[in-house]
Amino acid sequence: MDNSKQRYKEFGDFLKTRRARILPSQVGLPEGTRRRTPGLRREEVATLSGVGLTWYTWIEQGRPIQVSTQVLESLARTLMLDKQETIHLYTLAGQAPPTSFPNYDESVDPMLQHVLDSLEFSPALIMDVRLNVIAWNNAASKLSLNYGKINIYRRNILRIMFTNEDFKKTFTDWSSAAQGMIARFRSVYSKFIDDPWIEELVSELKRESKEFDLWWSMHNVKTEDTRFKSIIHPVLGKLDFEETSLLVADNTSLRMSIFTPLAGTDTKEKIKQFLISQNI
């Protein structure tokens, strides 16, 4: 067997082993009772990755298929590959590995999580440079959105802003908030202009949201700053916050956003009573 044939076979075998270890529930699919093999089916991987079943089957069979970086990124995301596995995947496919990686870890350093949890009455999130939400506190889950119930691969605040109707309803002025988020994301986008993951996200949102498609085309940019924000809670009504965004000192690819109850309002007392009433 020549080297190229061996590489294609290794590529296919690697995909099969990674597919076998993923539980359907990990990607938002029902477990079912008629599965003959562990893990995901080929058709499920193909669908989740946005590729054709026949084409994906040929890849697993070790046929000489040329795979783009966009498809490799999708496969790495679907199969929950870590950094080393992703590099291995790209190498087997004959593509240069990416220079940066989306952070899909479901946990952060325990010390960082402790900081979040200590902010009892201030919703707080930690996001990576692509705006993937990777950590949050109880106040964020109870007052804004239960991020733990969102599939890890869809837990991106920009995607949530434009596709989650419940999240939209929490804004007193969703249009302004959404346009501001696009403008801030534009500043990030300029640093990752060739990033296949971001290109795929932008393309997806342009298809799914006419507002995103319109506002993205305006090329407005805005840097992070301290902002005031109001949300509408279904029980508590209007809540007013100061939003502060801070880089994480030992990992500047992460940013912590803290929503502190605005002084001079009854926001903190409302939140306090609400959380106590739920025995949180």
Side-chain angles (χ1 to χ4, degrees):
M1 183 179 292
D2 64 36
N3 289 339
S4 61
K5 288 183 178 180
Q6 180 63 31
R7 181 166 59 81
Y8 288 123
K9 182 180 184 303
E10 287 286 332
F11 184 37
D13 288 346
F14 181 66
L15 289 174
K16 282 186 283 188
T17 61
R18 301 306 94 173
R19 170 168 64 86
R21 72 178 185 177
I22 304 297
L23 296 175
S25 59
Q26 290 179 278
V27 292
L29 297 173
E31 292 288 349
T33 58
R34 303 178 64 182
R35 290 181 178 270
R36 298 180 180 177
T37 58
L40 299 178
R41 300 186 179 103
R42 281 176 176 171
E43 57 266 32
E44 291 168 338
V45 173
T47 299
L48 291 168
S49 303
V51 300
L53 173 58
T54 299
W55 192 75
Y56 177 75
T57 300
W58 288 347
I59 295 174
E60 280 202 0
Q61 290 174 344
R63 298 196 187 188
I65 303 295
Q66 298 300 314
V67 183
S68 69
T69 56
Q70 288 85 352
V71 169
L72 291 172
E73 177 67 42
S74 294
L75 289 172
R77 185 171 65 248
T78 298
L79 298 174
M80 300 185 181
L81 303 186
D82 62 23
K83 180 177 180 179
Q84 291 304 315
E85 290 171 328
T86 300
I87 291 173
H88 186 61
L89 181 77
Y90 275 69
T91 302
L92 289 174
Q95 297 280 8
T99 56
S100 58
F101 299 82
N103 190 332
Y104 289 122
D105 294 337
E106 290 193 279
S107 61
V108 294
D109 186 293
M111 293 180 66
L112 277 177
Q113 187 63 56
H114 180 68
V115 171
L116 292 179
D117 294 338
S118 69
L119 300 169
E120 190 175 3
F121 306 123
S122 298
L125 308 170
I126 292 178
M127 292 177 282
D128 65 16
V129 292
R130 295 171 172 86
L131 302 187
N132 293 311
V133 179
I134 63 171
W136 57 92
N137 63 2
N138 180 65
S141 289
K142 296 299 180 183
L143 298 173
S144 178
L145 198 63
N146 191 340
Y147 295 97
K149 291 187 176 180
I150 300 175
N151 183 284
I152 190 171
Y153 296 117
R154 311 243 349 138
R155 202 182 293 155
N156 177 278
I157 200 67
L158 187 65
R159 177 184 279 117
I160 291 169
M161 174 66 86
F162 284 91
T163 63
N164 189 302
E165 294 302 319
D166 290 335
F167 191 68
K168 289 182 180 181
K169 292 175 184 177
T170 66
F171 290 89
T172 55
D173 185 354
W174 176 81
S175 177
S176 294
Q179 290 183 68
M181 184 175 289
I182 285 183
R184 290 190 293 275
F185 185 71
R186 266 286 183 189
S187 299
V188 174
Y189 179 82
S190 64
K191 301 173 185 177
F192 298 95
I193 198 89
D194 296 320
D195 188 322
W197 189 92
I198 287 184
E199 287 296 326
E200 182 179 337
L201 174 64
V202 170
S203 296
E204 175 188 327
L205 291 177
K206 288 172 72 174
R207 292 192 302 269
E208 294 188 11
S209 169
K210 64 180 185 298
E211 293 92 348
F212 181 89
D213 190 24
L214 172 63
W215 296 332
W216 182 257
S217 67
M218 293 179 180
H219 289 263
N220 293 329
V221 293
K222 182 179 181 181
T223 57
E224 296 283 355
D225 55 9
T226 301
R227 299 176 296 278
F228 296 102
K229 178 179 180 180
S230 297
I231 67 170
I232 303 298
H233 188 270
V235 175
L236 302 179
K238 186 170 179 283
L239 301 174
D240 299 302
F241 299 95
E242 294 174 341
E243 180 184 357
T244 305
S245 187
L246 307 168
L247 289 176
V248 175
D250 59 351
N251 186 348
T252 56
S253 67
L254 300 181
R255 185 176 291 272
M256 182 183 296
S257 292
I258 304 168
F259 300 87
T260 307
L262 186 63
T265 71
D266 60 355
T267 295
K268 182 176 181 179
E269 189 59 31
K270 282 182 178 180
I271 293 172
K272 183 177 180 180
Q273 293 303 319
F274 177 70
L275 296 181
I276 290 174
S277 71
Q278 296 193 18
N279 296 317
I280 301 302

